[in-house]
Amino acid sequence: MIELWGRGNAYNVQKPLWFLAELGLEFEHHDVGSVAGDLQTPEFLALNPMARIPVLRDDDAIVWESNTVLRYLANRFAATSFYPLEPLQRSRVERWMDWELASLQPAFIDLFWGYYRTPPQLRDAASIEAARLQCRARFEALQRQLNETPYLAGEDISLADIACGVCLYRYFEMGLELDQPPQVMDWY
């Protein structure tokens, strides 16, 4: 039995939730990370000593870090349409997954916390605008890629689209007026 720990509205938990649905796999979901201290219990720390979500257990295998969970599931269930075996095509998927963690997510998180998670009276307009411009630059990179291919790594949906797609959902649904590049919106 597959088990997944993490609150369903958490950015990095939404990635494996989406992929588990794509794979049509049954799993048990443990909603943790929403109550102070629930990631610090001895039971949870035995799963992930970093005290972070998501965590996936597949029988005796324990996997953490969202993109690693995606790769594990793709490899475990032979989802080669999402994670190709051919090295160059796989690298196209992986580079977008790595870019999402190293570039897209940090820019978005600054905007998300500065705007969405900060009460209006405490918001710093200059910081929000700087974060919005950083996001815009990331979305322009997506736009350039999507001008070339229908999906980030080529002709078919892949783990790259799941990793980056979660960000788009949160980005466009937080209530801030934002640029909407046409190819990105078609992909979204």
Side-chain angles (χ1 to χ4, degrees):
M1 168 58 98
I2 296 173
E3 297 175 84
L4 181 70
W5 282 262
R7 35 177 231 291
N9 66 346
Y11 179 110
N12 285 317
V13 177
Q14 290 174 338
K15 296 178 208 178
L17 284 171
W18 177 357
F19 194 40
L20 286 162
E22 290 283 347
L23 295 173
L25 296 174
E26 291 188 25
F27 64 97
E28 184 176 346
H29 181 214
H30 304 282
D31 188 26
V32 298
S34 55
V35 176
D38 61 353
L39 301 181
Q40 299 296 326
T41 66
E43 297 80 18
F44 189 80
L45 290 170
L47 296 170
N48 185 351
M50 301 303 142
R52 308 253 336 213
I53 52 176
V55 174
L56 180 116
R57 180 174 24 209
D58 178 22
D59 295 325
D60 292 334
I62 297 172
V63 183
W64 39 272
E65 290 299 328
S66 60
N67 287 351
T68 301
V69 170
L70 294 179
R71 289 179 183 105
Y72 170 82
L73 289 169
N75 286 317
R76 167 82 165 82
F77 296 99
T80 56
S81 63
F82 285 90
Y83 195 46
L85 294 175
E86 193 278 317
L88 180 58
Q89 187 56 31
R90 182 169 275 203
S91 79
R92 290 182 180 116
V93 172
E94 290 178 335
R95 71 181 82 157
W96 283 106
M97 293 175 77
D98 292 346
W99 178 83
E100 178 267 333
L101 284 176
S103 188
L104 179 61
Q105 189 176 121
F108 168 74
I109 292 299
D110 285 348
L111 182 62
F112 181 76
W113 279 94
Y115 175 77
Y116 189 78
R117 286 287 181 100
T118 300
Q121 68 276 15
L122 299 177
R123 291 178 184 155
D124 178 345
S127 294
I128 290 170
E129 180 60 11
R132 191 185 66 72
L133 292 173
Q134 288 295 316
C135 284
R136 175 193 280 170
R138 300 328 181 264
F139 281 84
E140 287 171 357
L142 290 173
Q143 177 73 15
R144 286 189 301 274
Q145 178 62 27
L146 294 167
N147 281 332
E148 301 297 320
T149 59
Y151 296 96
L152 290 178
E155 297 300 314
D156 299 303
I157 190 171
S158 71
L159 297 183
D161 300 287
I162 291 172
C164 293
V166 166
C167 183
L168 264 69
Y169 170 74
R170 296 175 73 92
Y171 181 76
F172 288 121
E173 298 300 323
M174 73 175 149
L176 182 61
E177 190 170 320
L178 301 161
D179 297 334
Q180 297 186 354
Q183 291 300 110
V184 171
M185 295 310 295
D186 287 349
W187 174 71
Y188 172 64

